[in-house]
Structures are given as structure tokens and as C-alpha cells.
Amino acid sequence: MGLLPLLKRDYGRCLHLPAHGRGAALPEDLQRLLRVRAGVWDLPELPDLGGPLERQGAVAESQRQAALMIGVQRGWYGVNGATGLLQAALLAMARPGQAVLMPRNVHRSLIQACVLGDLTPVLFDLPFMADRGHVSPPDGPWLEEVLAELPNLGVEIAAAVLIHPSYQGYATDLKPLVARLHRQGLPVLVDEAHGAHFASGVDVSLPASAVAAGADLIVHSLHKSAAGLTQSAVLWWQGDRVDPIAVERSLGWLQTTSPSALLLASCEAAIEDFFKPAGRRKLLLRLEQAKALAIRLKQFGLPLLETQDPLRLLWHTAAAGINGLDADSWLIKRGLVAELPEPGSLTFCLGLARQRGLARVMLRRWGQLVEKLGTGAPLPEFVPPPLPKLAVPFQSCGISWRASSQRLPLVDAVGRIAAELVCPYPPGIPLVIPGERLDQQRVDWLVDQQIIWGDQIPVDIAVTE
Ligand SMILES: Cc1ncc(COP(=O)(O)O)c(C=O)c1O
């Protein structure tokens, strides 16, 4: 039984989430609270406090104030991460049997919501960047092509989902996309788990937030892109396309009946931090330091990939012939802990805590890494998944997930229907979802992915009987 000592251990440079950097960038009020008698803050929904779904009480009032600060009509704090709030939001937007339009890079929580709510995910493919194996966000013409194909599918679409920014920090001008989906008659949920700081408005060079883009529901993961404790998140509502009562009913299904008062207070503190002078100064400074760090690393030859979020620093390991997962294992042993290893890159989350001397450490480690694992030539280009622009699972996700299933080696699964997600974590983006029929091309591609993702991709898969 050794969990407690692990929580105190020094892991070296933590360039992973949560963004508060092991407490260093927690809002001051919260730091003070945590220093008072241990556990004194662990309270139930006392009448004075209330909870996210109560009309009265301090939590209700705090949510009202937070919504005012962000500039939306309502907000609900969540203690089960962006995961719980995305699922509640999706279930509020579509009824069983309806379909939801979403990009291929959705987080698995949204596919799981489709299973829970008997919804059909209509997945659209995304532009692929072969030098790194990442997808980029859709632009207007791309979305137009997707929408043009919708009538051929013969399904009733109730809502649309967009991801902004991606895990790595790729973002786009969301406003025209949201407006186009609205013209199509679709309410829009934006998974802005990684972009809460865009809504702070501290730096005009950051992409505009989904809030400003007019999305109907927006989810912010406050531990990923604000100074919240792990599991803290918020769901914002604006406009008149989604019924807030439906949102509350879904939240009631999917949230615990005993939300942690500490986590709720952390939601409040993280959002307030964006609007208090000290918090704004801190965020602005971190953004400037991050931009300066990237310039310095590039000057000294470290290949970085550009994204729209300066707080995500991406080493392009493929450029030196190194798989990002191998780079990660090597670096962890040397005290440099990244957030997201992928076959072509390694994403570091710089977070909100001060990172002293990081340029020196990174340059030294990069040099050693290239010497040790570099091949002198870039990795071959990554192959995009063989998928149509728009795809509906062959059979309902929910039915396939619940069906009796058997496990088969991937290579023997051609022609069969997946009964589970295939989903490396992180990033938690499914490569296969329940209900999809696996054709030869897809299986061949998955087998190739096993080579580059290692044991993140199992050698067998559950398929329906
Ligand atoms: C794009 C995206 N959305 C949602 C989530 C879920 O967030 P949380 O960990 O706060 O539940 C993640 C987690 O990695 C994510 O990457």
C-alpha cells in the first residue's frame, strides 16, 4: 500500500497536466485554504454551500458570477473533468436515435456518451499532416464539403461538436464554422478542454474562444488549461438553441450526488484567476516566457512544431528519426516528464508555473536524445487512416458495445464489427469505435499503427458475435 508516498515524490521537471505545476501556480486563495487544517475543507452540500444544480447557495451564486465574467448566460461547475460535462452536454442536445456530427479527433468521452444515449456519431475526417501524424482543424471549405455529403447518409442530425484547440494546441478561426453549423440548423458544442485560457482575453494573439465564437455549449477543463485542481471543469451555456433544463437533467444523471466542495471552490478560483489582476499578469507572463522559450530552442536547432497555443511545446521527434514514445521513456528516466508522447512528436505542457532554466535543460536533453536514439534521417511520412470524409458506424454504437462479443487477433477481424474502442491514451482519441465494420484496409492500417504506438494498441480486438 504505497500511494501516499508517491504523491509526495519528486518526479523531476513536470511538464504535464494539471497546469498548476504541482501547486506552484494554484490561485493564492486556494493555496491558503489548503494550508489550513488538513481536511477541514472537505464538506458535503451544506445548505449554505449548495451544489452545481441547486438554485440557492454559494455554489449557485459563484456559478452566476463566473458566467457573468465569461460573458455567457449560465455555467455549471463539474467535478468529473471535462469528461462528465461533455457527456452531459451531448445528452442534452440529442435524443436517442438521433445523430451528432463530430470530427474524427473527438475525445473518447463523446463516443461513450453516444453509447450511453443511443446516439449515432457521424464522424468527419480531418486534414492530415503526414510529417508528424497529427490532424489539423477543419477550415470553412472543408466543413462545406462535409455538410454537402450529409444528405447522402440518410440520418437525422441533431447537433454538432467541434474540438478547439486540439490536445497539441492546433486551433482555428471558429466563428465562421459555428455560424455555418448554425445556418445548417445545428446547435454546437465545443470541446474547449484545452483552451479555457483563450476565454480570458489576456492576449489578443491567442485564438478567440468558443464563447466569443458563439458556440451554444462550451466545456473547459480547468485543470488542463487553467489553474484548477485535477477533475475541475466547467460547462457554459449561451443562446437559445439548447434548453438549459435539458442540460441540468443530464448533469443530474452524470454527476456525483456528493460533489467535492474543494473541487467546486477550485473551479471558482481557477476562473476568477483569469479576471484578477495578479492572475492575468501571471498568465500573460507565462505566455510571453513560452514564446521566448520556443524562439530560443528553435535558434539552437531543436525542431519544434507550431501550434496556436504557446503553452504547448511540441518537439518534432520524427524530424530526427525518433519515435516520440521512445523519446518519452528515455526522458522520464532523466527527469523530464512530458504530457503527450505520440509516434511523431512529444508535447510538453508548460502550464502556469514558472519554468526556470528550461531552455538549457531542454537543449541538453535534446542533444543527448539525438545522439542516443537519432537515426540521422527523419521517420517516414505517417499514413492517414483509410477513412471516408464522412462515416456512420455500420451498426449502432450502443448495440455493438452491449452485444455479446469475442476477442480476435486484429488480423482475423476483417469484415467483423468492433464491440469496443481502440484508443491510445493519451490522447484518448479513438482509432476505432464500437459499431464500425473493419475492412482489410483498416485492419492493415491498425497493424501498422501497432508498430508505431507499441502496446498502446492491443493485438486483438473485441468484435460482435
Ligand atoms: C480534447 C479533450 N477533451 C476532453 C478531455 C477530457 O478531459 P478531462 O480529463 O478533464 O475529463 C480530454 C482529455 O484528455 C481531451 O484531450
Side-chain angles (χ1 to χ4, degrees):
M1 300 294 280
L3 272 184
L4 292 182
L6 290 183
L7 269 56
K8 291 187 284 184
R9 189 197 268 180
D10 179 4
Y11 289 92
R13 284 270 183 178
C14 289
L15 296 161
H16 53 72
L17 302 172
H20 61 67
R22 300 203 79 188
L26 280 177
E28 295 219 338
D29 293 352
L30 197 70
Q31 295 204 19
R32 269 196 294 279
L33 176 74
L34 290 169
R35 273 189 230 110
V36 302
R37 186 157 51 86
V40 71
W41 29 258
D42 197 16
L43 290 166
E45 285 185 303
L46 294 174
D48 278 359
L49 269 171
L53 294 175
E54 306 290 327
R55 291 259 171 261
Q56 309 296 331
V59 175
E61 182 51 29
S62 171
Q63 292 178 161
R64 274 193 286 276
Q65 292 303 324
L68 272 177
M69 285 189 274
I70 290 283
V72 294
Q73 284 145 283
R74 292 192 62 180
W76 295 269
Y77 298 155
V79 298
N80 181 22
T83 295
L85 296 180
L86 285 168
Q87 293 181 333
L90 198 70
L91 295 187
M93 295 170 93
R95 280 193 295 277
Q98 290 186 318
V100 182
L101 182 67
M102 42 179 91
R104 262 284 160 188
N105 67 336
V106 280
H107 185 252
R108 67 184 185 195
S109 54
L110 284 162
I111 301 298
Q112 286 156 348
C114 291
V115 170
L116 284 173
D118 192 19
L119 308 177
T120 302
V122 175
L123 294 167
F124 63 93
D125 200 20
L126 291 166
F128 187 78
M129 294 179 277
D131 62 338
R132 61 201 77 173
H134 296 160
V135 291
S136 62
D139 58 12
W142 188 278
L143 183 63
E144 213 51 66
E145 280 180 37
V146 168
L147 294 177
E149 282 197 30
L150 275 186
N152 306 332
L153 291 182
V155 287
E156 187 197 349
I157 309 271
V161 176
L162 295 172
I163 317 296
H164 180 260
S166 68
Y167 209 136
Q168 299 89 355
Y170 299 108
T172 187
D173 182 9
L174 214 51
K175 203 168 179 171
L177 303 185
V178 172
R180 180 63 189 88
L181 290 165
H182 282 165
R183 283 203 301 283
Q184 191 79 13
L186 302 175
V188 181
L189 161 65
V190 178
D191 174 356
E192 207 165 48
H194 295 279
H197 55 316
F198 296 175
S200 68
V202 298
D203 183 346
V204 286
S205 71
L206 284 180
S209 149
V211 172
D216 304 278
L217 292 172
I218 303 107
V219 172
H220 286 151
S221 181
L222 296 172
H223 60 106
K224 292 191 195 305
S225 47
L229 290 172
T230 296
Q231 288 185 217
S232 59
V234 63
L235 167 61
W236 306 114
W237 168 77
Q238 62 184 354
D240 54 10
R241 291 179 186 81
V242 180
D243 178 3
I245 308 286
V247 176
E248 290 196 320
R249 285 174 47 165
S250 309
L251 286 167
W253 291 330
L254 292 172
Q255 295 288 305
T256 169
T257 46
S258 318
S260 150
L262 176 65
L263 288 183
L264 294 171
S266 160
C267 291
E268 174 185 86
I271 296 164
E272 265 182 7
D273 216 35
F274 284 150
F275 298 96
K276 285 184 171 171
R280 290 177 78 79
R281 271 198 306 276
K282 178 179 67 185
L283 176 56
L284 201 53
L285 188 62
R286 295 297 168 257
L287 288 164
E288 277 163 13
Q289 287 166 340
K291 289 176 198 167
L293 172 68
I295 291 172
R296 175 118 189 264
L297 296 179
K298 274 194 269 184
Q299 269 169 357
F300 283 91
L302 204 163
L304 297 182
L305 292 168
E306 298 231 345
T307 72
Q308 285 62 49
D309 182 1
L311 296 180
R312 299 289 151 105
L313 192 94
L314 273 71
W315 287 13
H316 189 195
T317 57
I322 303 172
N323 183 310
L325 288 97
D326 296 334
D328 190 47
S329 311
W330 190 87
L331 289 167
I332 284 178
K333 290 187 205 118
R334 287 152 188 90
L336 197 56
V337 190
E339 167 67 19
L340 173 61
E342 294 176 278
S345 64
L346 194 54
T347 298
F348 295 91
C349 289
L350 299 176
L352 299 166
R354 174 132 194 227
Q355 299 287 347
R356 286 170 202 274
L358 187 56
R360 199 172 22 83
V361 173
M362 283 200 158
L363 287 170
R364 192 175 71 236
R365 289 297 182 216
W366 174 256
Q368 293 167 334
L369 180 73
V370 172
E371 212 178 293
K372 193 77 192 159
L373 304 184
T375 56
L379 292 181
E381 292 219 316
F382 293 91
V383 179
L387 291 166
K389 192 123 206 175
L390 205 57
V392 180
F394 181 78
Q395 178 176 289
S396 136
C397 278
I399 289 176
S400 313
W401 175 262
R402 294 179 190 98
S404 45
S405 62
Q406 61 180 133
R407 293 205 79 79
L408 288 181
L410 255 182
V411 285
D412 295 335
V414 176
R416 304 298 294 266
I417 297 171
E420 65 178 0
L421 293 166
V422 175
C423 184
Y425 194 91
I429 297 169
L431 304 182
V432 174
I433 67 168
E436 285 192 302
R437 196 207 274 277
L438 298 159
D439 59 19
Q440 184 70 54
Q441 265 186 312
R442 192 77 178 282
V443 167
D444 291 345
W445 180 80
L446 285 167
V447 170
D448 285 346
Q449 297 307 298
Q450 276 174 342
I451 301 167
I452 56 177
W453 278 100
D455 51 16
Q456 286 258 33
I457 298 190
V459 289
D460 52 15
I461 182 166
V463 293
T464 60
E465 279 182 340

